[in-house]
């Protein structure tokens, strides 16, 4: 908390909208936000869909012949190829968010999408597992800037209790598309031998081409931050009055519509805030099962005795269920204006699913467990992102905090890549138990944060504390 910078406002309570007597047309506000939704969320969802597919299609390629061709069955080569992605992904997320503000959302996001799409195409032509590792590292470098930028951008357009639905919308749509990527991969496998190219190579090549095509569309559709949108070609759908209404909504909610420059001193203060690290650990713990299922579900299903093709097809339905479950939890969270109970509930769902997947007495029970496990894991990703977004103020803090939080997701990816060991096939019980441990960490951290936030809110109400540098701001728990 920055005690040296306290804002004084006339209102006694922050709210998400003006009262009718204030002269604001609330119906027009709703229409305006829907207009922003349509311009911002579909393209981000489409781009993040290909991002997830491009980083997690290794399992599809593995069972399509890549494991044998590149000798990934030797030692831990497959796990090394998976985890190397996350090292540059973690390192370059904060620098990317800084560049985002300077370059502009459309140019920056479309540029890095085009770059990683090109890398994906190149992966289709590798002949050695070491070259695959190099390509995965480059892929991680370019993808590093995308997700934290999306989180930062979305959080700057909406008030706090609109955020989880929007986070869930663009993220879970991408999860749904990513779930069906297994079926797409099965179709691409049928190109085996076409022009002398293996089926697994076609998976990388075609999906890379799709990514590059979406990058071009993104360049002409992505909108910038509210304070910059009118100066960009892609912001022509809004008027100056529209932008002022959006800024006014944000200021009524948390008083941070105006961008504040990011300095090293501000970065240091953000990094000294314990709750930012707690949010990051929460996100890390939510991504471990999310990545684990994405990387290993087809392999787990193959271990149940299903053919390569059937393993690809059966990988899709659990992700469909995850989208339905995640959106339901997101709407509930925004309606009751709470985050911790939503996160805790989905963690418990994930624990049950993981236990059934690892220890179920039949393949049917184990497969049912994947539905619950994936639903709990994927639903908690937007929930945890919204939890942090609701409890910080100012653009500079959001820039640093979102990059750090998503960066810890890379640590979750590294964990998922290494704890599911080849020697534990087909049950992967060491990985299952470790992942359950991350869900217990989520339950513990949400409990501690809830107690802290409630105590601070009571102190704020008594006039004994100022939260996030604003005299009327309160925590969401």
């Amino acid at each position: 908390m920055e005690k040296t910078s306290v804002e004084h406002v006339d209102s006694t309570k922050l709210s998400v909208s003006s009262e009718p007597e204030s002269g604001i047309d609330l119906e027009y506000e709703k229409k305006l936000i829907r207009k922003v939704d349509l311009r911002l969320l579909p393209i981000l969802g489409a781009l993040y869909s290909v991002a997830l597919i491009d980083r997690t299609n290794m399992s599809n390629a593995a069972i399509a012949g890549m494991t044998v061709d590149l000798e990934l069955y030797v030692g831990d080569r497959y796990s090394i190829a998976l985890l190397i992605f996350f090292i540059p992904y973690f390192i370059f997320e904060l620098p990317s968010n800084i560049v985002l503000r300077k370059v502009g959302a459309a140019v920056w996001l479309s540029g890095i999408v085009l770059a990683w799409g090109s890398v994906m195409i190149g992966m289709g032509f590798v002949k050695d597992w070491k070259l695959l590792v190099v390509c995965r590292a480059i892929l991680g470098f370019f993808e590093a800037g995308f997700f934290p930028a999306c989180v930062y951008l979305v959080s700057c357009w909406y008030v706090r209790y609109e955020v989880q639905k929007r986070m869930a919308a663009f993220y879970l749509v991408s999860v749904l598309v990513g779930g069906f990527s297994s079926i797409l991969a099965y179709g691409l496998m049928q190109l085996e031998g076409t022009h002398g190219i293996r089926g697994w190579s076609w998976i990388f090549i075609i999906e890379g081409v799709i990514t590059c095509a979406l990058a071009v569309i993104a360049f002409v559709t992505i909108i910038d931050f509210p304070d910059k949108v009118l100066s960009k070609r892609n912001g022509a759908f809004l008027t100056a009055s529209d932008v002022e209404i959006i800024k006014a909504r944000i200021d009524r909610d948390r008083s941070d519509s105006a961008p504040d420059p990011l300095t090293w001193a501000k970065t240091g203060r953000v990094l000294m805030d314990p709750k930012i690290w707690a949010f990051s650990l929460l996100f890390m713990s939510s991504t471990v099962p999310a990545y684990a299922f994405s990387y290993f579900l087809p392999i787990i299903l193959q271990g149940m005795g299903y053919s390569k093709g059937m393993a690809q097809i059966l990988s899709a339905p659990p992700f469909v269920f995850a989208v339905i479950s995640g959106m339901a939890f997101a709407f509930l969270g925004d309606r009751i204006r709470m985050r911790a109970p939503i996160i805790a509930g989905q963690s418990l769902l994930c624990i049950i699913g993981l236990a059934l997947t690892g220890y179920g007495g039949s393949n049917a029970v184990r497969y049912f467990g994947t539905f619950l496990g994936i639903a709990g894991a994927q639903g908690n990703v937007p929930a945890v992102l919204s939890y942090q977004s609701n409890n910080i103020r100012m653009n500079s803090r959001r820039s640093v905090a979102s990059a750090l939080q998503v960066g810890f997701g890379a640590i979750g990816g590294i964990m998922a890549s290494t704890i599911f060991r080849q020697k534990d096939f087909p049950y992967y019980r060491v990985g299952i138990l470790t992942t359950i441990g991350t869900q217990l960490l989520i339950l513990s951290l949400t409990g501690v944060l809830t107690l802290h936030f409630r105590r601070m809110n009571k102190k704020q109400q008594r006039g004994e504390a100022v939260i996030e540098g604003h005299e009327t701001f309160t925590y969401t728990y």
Side-chain angles (χ1 to χ4, degrees):
M1 180 178 71
E2 294 184 44
K3 296 182 179 179
T4 58
S5 177
V6 179
E7 298 179 23
H8 299 278
V9 296
D10 294 332
S11 61
T12 58
K13 184 179 180 181
L14 294 175
S15 61
V16 298
S17 63
S18 299
E19 296 297 327
E21 59 266 24
S22 67
I24 299 296
D25 186 341
L26 299 183
E27 284 302 314
Y28 185 75
E29 277 194 1
K30 292 179 182 178
K31 292 179 181 177
L32 179 58
I33 295 305
R34 284 196 292 270
K35 187 188 296 186
V36 173
D37 287 342
L38 291 173
R39 283 300 302 266
L40 184 62
L41 300 180
I43 186 61
L44 294 184
L47 291 176
Y48 196 58
S49 296
V50 295
L52 281 180
I53 291 171
D54 291 347
R55 81 178 63 162
T56 60
N57 57 11
M58 289 281 286
S59 60
N60 303 128
I63 67 174
M66 182 180 69
T67 299
V68 175
D69 288 358
L70 302 186
E71 298 182 345
L72 295 177
Y73 53 80
V74 177
D76 294 318
R77 288 180 178 180
Y78 181 71
S79 292
I80 292 171
L82 291 179
L83 72 85
I84 195 66
F85 168 93
F86 294 100
I87 297 174
Y89 186 84
F90 176 78
I91 294 171
F92 292 103
E93 286 187 327
L94 178 56
S96 178
N97 260 10
I98 296 172
V99 175
L100 171 70
R101 264 285 180 184
K102 297 180 181 298
V103 175
V107 173
W108 182 244
L109 293 178
S110 63
I112 59 178
V113 172
L114 181 64
W116 90 58
S118 301
V119 174
M120 279 300 304
I121 295 172
M123 285 174 60
F125 296 95
V126 299
K127 303 299 182 184
D128 183 87
W129 79 277
K130 294 177 183 176
L131 289 177
L132 178 69
V133 169
V134 171
C135 286
R136 289 280 298 175
I138 299 172
L139 189 68
F141 171 76
F142 286 122
E143 280 204 36
F146 184 75
F147 195 44
C150 290
V151 173
Y152 182 24
L153 187 60
V154 169
S155 68
C156 287
W157 274 98
Y158 300 100
V159 298
R160 285 178 291 165
Y161 301 116
E162 296 171 342
V163 166
Q164 187 171 348
K165 290 191 295 288
R166 270 74 184 185
M167 293 284 191
F170 96 79
Y171 176 77
L172 291 175
V173 165
S174 66
V175 169
L176 178 63
V177 175
F180 281 99
S181 69
S182 294
I183 297 177
L184 172 63
Y186 176 70
L188 295 175
M189 285 167 54
Q190 309 313 308
L191 295 174
E192 173 71 35
T194 303
H195 301 297
I197 298 174
R198 293 297 310 273
W200 65 265
S201 294
W202 280 115
I203 293 175
F204 292 140
I205 294 168
I206 299 300
E207 291 177 357
V209 170
I210 294 172
T211 300
C212 291
L214 280 174
V216 176
I217 297 172
F219 180 71
V220 297
T221 55
I222 289 180
I223 59 175
D224 218 310
F225 293 89
D227 61 289
K228 300 174 67 176
V229 67
L230 290 178
S231 64
K232 307 292 184 180
R233 179 187 64 256
N234 297 351
F237 74 105
L238 294 176
T239 67
S241 175
D242 290 338
V243 174
E244 289 306 313
I245 290 173
I246 289 169
K247 289 181 179 179
R249 296 178 81 249
I250 294 169
D251 284 333
R252 292 196 301 271
D253 181 56
R254 57 182 184 268
S255 297
D256 71 353
S257 68
D260 58 310
L262 179 63
T263 64
W264 285 110
K266 289 180 180 178
T267 300
R269 285 196 290 271
V270 174
L271 297 178
M272 290 294 288
D273 187 343
K275 72 175 181 290
I276 299 300
W277 294 95
F279 289 134
S280 297
L281 286 172
L282 283 173
F283 191 69
M284 177 199 76
S285 299
S286 69
T287 59
V288 172
Y291 278 121
F293 278 115
S294 295
Y295 283 137
F296 293 97
L297 181 57
I299 298 172
I300 290 172
L301 291 173
Q302 197 174 13
M304 295 182 190
Y306 295 107
S307 66
K308 291 188 293 185
M310 187 55 65
Q312 302 278 28
I313 293 170
L314 290 177
S315 294
F319 288 94
V320 177
F321 177 71
V323 171
I324 298 170
S325 172
M327 287 304 301
F329 274 107
F331 272 88
L332 177 62
D334 276 353
R335 178 173 291 276
I336 66 176
R337 300 190 173 190
M338 298 186 77
R339 301 296 180 227
I342 300 299
I343 294 169
Q346 292 183 119
S347 286
L348 290 172
L349 190 66
C350 186
I351 288 172
I352 295 170
L354 286 164
L356 291 176
T357 301
Y359 294 91
S362 67
N363 286 344
V365 172
R366 293 183 66 202
Y367 185 52
F368 175 69
T370 68
F371 280 75
L372 302 184
I374 292 171
Q378 298 291 359
N380 257 348
V381 170
V384 170
L385 293 170
S386 302
Y387 196 23
Q388 174 174 269
S389 175
N390 283 182
N391 289 300
I392 57 174
R393 288 182 63 251
M394 307 310 295
N395 277 254
S396 60
R397 288 175 64 78
R398 289 182 188 282
S399 177
V400 176
S402 63
L404 182 67
Q405 186 180 36
V406 177
F408 266 64
I411 299 175
I414 292 173
M415 289 179 62
S417 302
T418 53
I419 60 178
F420 285 76
R421 304 172 301 180
Q422 182 62 34
K423 66 180 182 180
D424 298 324
F425 176 85
Y427 293 96
Y428 293 109
R429 284 173 176 162
V430 171
I432 293 288
L433 290 173
T434 305
T435 307
I436 289 175
T438 65
Q439 301 312 291
L440 296 176
L441 177 60
I442 287 178
L443 295 174
S444 300
L445 286 173
T446 51
V448 171
L449 286 172
T450 297
L451 293 175
H452 171 66
F453 288 164
R454 291 184 66 179
R455 182 176 64 86
M456 290 301 297
N457 284 354
K458 289 178 180 179
K459 292 180 68 175
Q460 185 269 346
Q461 291 164 4
R462 295 194 300 265
E464 299 172 3
V466 174
I467 298 173
E468 287 289 304
H470 195 296
E471 63 179 4
T472 58
F473 187 90
T474 55
Y475 284 128
T476 301
Y477 51 83

